[in-house]
Amino acid sequence: MPQGRAAKPGGGGGGPKGPPTITSSGWEYDLGGGAGILPRFEGEEPKKPEPGGGQQVPVEVLVQRAVERLKLPKPVIRTSPDEDFVQVVHVPTWMWVEREAWGPVSVSAAAEGVNVTATARPQKAVWSMGEGGTVVCDGPGTPYSDAYSPKASSPDCGYTYRRASLSAPGKAYMVSVQVTWDVKWQGAGQSGVVPGLVMAAERQLVVDEVQAVVTR
């Protein structure tokens, strides 16, 4: 069964990376201090500020506030064999992140009678295994249990090391996982997506070879 799909290695880090971009009906609004072009929503043109008088807070400003308030959980790396013990060359390693860090997170922002709700959901986990291999998993991964054979590969998120880590710094591979989140928002009769927020974690894994013992 598949153990994930190959992809290019990603970088490290411990929090949302960005700036994110609000996408709506073909226009984009950069939250990183760009030109500040208002997004166009279905059936309407961008509204220009009226001279004088108070102005309603633009919905994209509330979206930015909501995104900034999101507290996305940092992934916790788990493996089988256990991450605190030695992994074995040519023996399948199972990887997963704790389920508590894989679920929707919602927050709202309001001003002047306008309310925006943003809900973030994890989309994928990209694992960099330290020896050059990368695995993309569409979910958190399956925790290993006694229900599986000790020689079985993970059904959805696994890796098999080809080389021991003796020549790596500290005699261990640095393994990292990046969980990508997309944020769907809605408010004031409008909606959109802020894609590509990332939460990351890393730890060292020791990988060794098991020598066969021949008896006569």
Side-chain angles (χ1 to χ4, degrees), residues 17-191:
K17 298 180 178 180
T21 298
I22 299 172
T23 304
S24 179
S25 302
W27 285 31
E28 294 183 343
Y29 184 88
D30 184 4
L31 296 183
I37 300 174
L38 300 183
R40 181 175 61 194
F41 299 94
E42 191 69 28
E44 69 176 56
E45 294 293 328
K47 297 180 181 179
K48 297 181 179 179
E50 298 179 1
Q55 299 174 15
Q56 188 178 55
V57 176
V59 67
E60 67 274 2
V61 173
L62 293 180
V63 173
Q64 179 179 3
R65 291 179 186 174
V67 171
E68 290 174 346
R69 292 175 183 175
L70 283 169
K71 295 182 179 180
L72 303 182
K74 184 175 181 178
V76 178
I77 293 175
R78 297 290 185 231
T79 67
S80 180
D82 189 277
E83 61 275 7
D84 291 328
F85 295 95
V86 174
Q87 311 298 304
V88 181
V89 171
H90 303 310
V91 174
T93 293
W94 293 45
M95 301 99 66
W96 66 93
V97 296
E98 291 189 349
R99 299 284 173 149
E100 292 79 3
W102 195 280
V105 179
S106 295
V107 72
S108 296
E112 300 180 6
V114 178
N115 184 78
V116 167
T117 298
T119 301
R121 287 183 170 84
Q123 303 299 310
K124 63 181 179 181
V126 180
W127 293 80
S128 179
M129 304 307 297
E131 70 166 354
T134 302
V135 179
V136 179
C137 303
D138 294 326
T142 301
Y144 179 80
S145 72
D146 292 338
Y148 301 96
S149 166
K151 297 181 180 180
S153 300
S154 169
D156 54 4
C157 196
Y159 184 79
T160 300
Y161 280 99
R162 297 164 295 175
R163 299 187 303 272
S165 60
L166 295 177
S167 61
K171 297 184 178 181
Y173 290 129
M174 183 61 70
V175 174
S176 66
V177 61
Q178 293 185 335
V179 178
T180 301
W181 299 68
D182 285 354
V183 181
K184 292 184 179 180
W185 61 268
Q186 58 182 5
Q190 303 168 4
S191 63

Side-chain angles (χ1 to χ4, degrees), residues 194-208:
V194 180
L197 276 65
V198 174
M199 295 296 291
E202 63 181 16
R203 65 160 298 138
Q204 289 185 322
L205 285 184
V206 175
V207 181
D208 204 352

